[in-house]
Amino acid sequence: MKNPDVVIVLAAGEGTRMKSATPKVLHRIAGRSILGHLMAAIAPVTGGELRVVVGAHREFVEAEVIATAPAAIPVYQAERNGTGHAVQLALAGAPTTGSVLILAGDTPLLTTSTLKEFIAIHEANASSASVLTADMPDPFGYGRIIRDDNGGISHIVEERDATDEEREITEINTGVYLFDNAALRAACAKLSKDNSQGELYLTDVIALIKGANSVVLAIRSNDYTETLGINDRSQLAECTAVMRDRINDRWMKSGVTIVDPTTTWIDVDVTIESDVTIHPGTALAGKSTIATGAVIGPRTTLTDVFVDAGAHVIESTCTGSHIGAKANVGPYTFLRAGTTLGTGAKAGAYVEIKNSIVGDGSKVPHLSYVGDATIGSGTNIGAATIFVNYDGVDKHQTVVGDEVRIGSDTMLVAPVSIGDGAYTAAGSIITEDVPAGSIGVARAKQRNVLGWVLRKRAGSSSAIAAKRAGATERE
Ligand code: UD1
Ligand code: CA
């Protein structure tokens, strides 16, 4: 198989039906833009020139094009006069010989292997124009393939220009074409706006090339889901679900247990080792990496999180963090950017941690906030401890050593440091460093006012209970 000499991607449309401030092809599926998915699929078959027609929201779409394919040549279509017009512009200045592959930027599910098969059949038949078609359960909105008496393609008719009878046809134009360069150029020059939208339809070149007595093929793909186009939010959701299933299948085949694939959402750039278990309601986003034996979920979202072997993360939201081997996170834990949990460390229920290192075997088990801190190994942070890192203007660091025991409800007012093996008394507000091996006590001494309830709350249920226990009114 020879790679096409020119590849043209059409992405100038407004995407009006999306009703969005974001250009259609930049909406995201599984962590990648619609256009990005297509660009990834065509990369292996792009040998010659790659031209991407941009128009609406030009600067954003162009930036995405260059980010995914730095060698691509953006072509600006100032006025959207149709797919045929877009191709006319793209051909100007492009090589004039060989073959031209054309795709729409809004078909993100297309695979490289389908494209390769399509190109191979086109070549084997010395075709001048080939269009990839599919049988759609719901063909609404697509161009329909009209076949002639010999079963070959006669022409393509758009939904809006079709008769009722033609609308019954389920074989549709996927918007993927391969042309002989010269034949395409000759046909493009003959396009007219004689249709319901008053646009130049690329689809019309099929009949024009066929009329020139050349071989024209409609090549049917056997998986219609690959060629689903996105015009509105329902189709976006439909494609997203197909992509989810495709990604999940791939991971299950490589040895990952996904308990409920319908509620598990894994981005394309995530990597997962075998024998990871993912429970329902879990999203693995960005460039997250999950090592073998880890258990993730239920109801967990990890974005750009590195999870080491055997760690457990339950009912938690984590971003930009590193979770060490055999560490435990959750339930209801929020790990923010810059968090590193050491081997066997724990971040338990209702704990928030950001920009902090929690050393090997150290635990933050309950109801705490840890910000801008370094915690050594084997240390325990008592329930409801707050690392007071913000003075209202600046953020400050807290350093806690190895084998420290922070008492429950301690406020560690940064900048402050707690030496190795030190303790703090429960309820302390620690504003000064605590040396190694010491206990920091910073709270008011307790005073009991005897009989207060019996005097001030006489007759209350508490007073009655106190009396029963032998309490008296005297001070
Ligand atoms: C088009 C096809 C239809 C096919 C469907 C497949 C035509 C006339 N119709 O319809 O037969 O079934 O794709 O998904 O081609 N674009 C430009 N410049 C323009 C107009 C469109 O670059 O002036 C781009 C769009 O950004 C989009 C692609 O071309 O990526 C297709 O345009 P769209 O408006 O989505 O065409 P459909 O109505 O889907
Ligand atoms: Ca479309």
Side-chain angles (χ1 to χ4, degrees), residues 9-15 17 24-25 53-54 77 79-86 103-107 141-144 156-158 172-177 197 199-203 227-231:
V9 176
L10 306 181
E14 300 276 353
R17 290 165 277 183
K24 173 168 78 176
V25 294
V53 183
V54 298
Q77 185 188 23
E79 259 181 283
R80 258 68 71 197
N81 290 325
T83 47
H85 178 240
L103 314 100
D106 61 357
T107 49
Y142 291 95
R144 306 298 204 284
I156 299 171
V157 61
E158 291 305 298
I172 61 97
N173 167 24
T174 66
V176 178
Y177 319 81
Q197 300 190 76
E199 289 182 351
L200 297 178
Y201 286 174
L202 175 62
T203 45
T227 55
L228 287 168
I230 297 178
N231 296 315

Side-chain angles (χ1 to χ4, degrees), residues 142-282:
Y142 291 95
R144 306 298 204 284
I145 302 299
I146 311 298
R147 290 193 179 256
D148 58 24
D149 295 341
N150 305 322
I153 181 170
S154 153
H155 59 282
I156 299 171
V157 61
E158 291 305 298
E159 171 86 31
R160 295 163 72 160
D161 303 299
T163 63
D164 287 348
E165 203 180 325
E166 286 169 334
R167 287 198 187 102
E168 296 291 309
I169 297 170
T170 55
E171 189 183 7
I172 61 97
N173 167 24
T174 66
V176 178
Y177 319 81
L178 189 53
F179 294 103
D180 169 65
N181 203 329
L184 174 64
R185 284 168 185 272
C188 270
K190 292 188 198 141
L191 287 175
S192 84
K193 295 186 172 179
D194 186 16
N195 52 57
S196 67
Q197 300 190 76
E199 289 182 351
L200 297 178
Y201 286 174
L202 175 62
T203 45
D204 291 344
V205 302
I206 295 292
L208 288 168
I209 295 175
K210 188 172 168 104
N213 265 330
S214 305
V215 179
V216 174
L217 290 180
I219 301 170
R220 211 187 291 236
S221 86
N222 46 23
D223 179 2
Y224 77 88
T225 63
E226 272 198 30
T227 55
L228 287 168
I230 297 178
N231 296 315
D232 58 32
R233 307 271 183 161
S234 308
Q235 288 168 323
L236 177 66
E238 193 183 354
C239 285
T240 304
V242 173
M243 184 64 80
R244 174 202 61 206
D245 292 345
R246 198 189 273 179
I247 292 170
N248 287 346
D249 276 345
R250 177 160 67 89
W251 289 120
M252 289 189 281
K253 285 199 177 80
S254 75
V256 175
T257 294
I258 299 180
V259 175
D260 180 9
T262 62
T263 64
T264 300
W265 301 86
I266 303 172
D267 280 1
V268 279
D269 290 329
V270 169
T271 56
I272 311 174
E273 291 181 3
S274 64
D275 289 324
V276 163
T277 299
I278 303 172
H279 287 291
T282 292

Side-chain angles (χ1 to χ4, degrees), residues 56-132:
H57 309 280
R58 172 191 187 176
E59 59 282 12
F60 300 107
V61 180
E62 247 181 66
E64 179 73 354
V65 166
I66 298 307
T68 51
I73 303 168
V75 174
Y76 181 50
Q77 185 188 23
E79 259 181 283
R80 258 68 71 197
N81 290 325
T83 47
H85 178 240
V87 169
Q88 286 175 346
L89 293 177
L91 285 174
T96 55
T97 57
S99 58
V100 183
L101 176 69
I102 300 179
L103 314 100
D106 61 357
T107 49
L109 298 171
L110 205 61
T111 62
T112 306
S113 67
T114 293
L115 280 175
K116 282 185 172 168
E117 272 174 56
F118 173 65
I119 295 169
I121 296 171
H122 171 90
E123 277 179 3
N125 290 278
S127 172
S128 290
S130 302
V131 53
L132 183 67

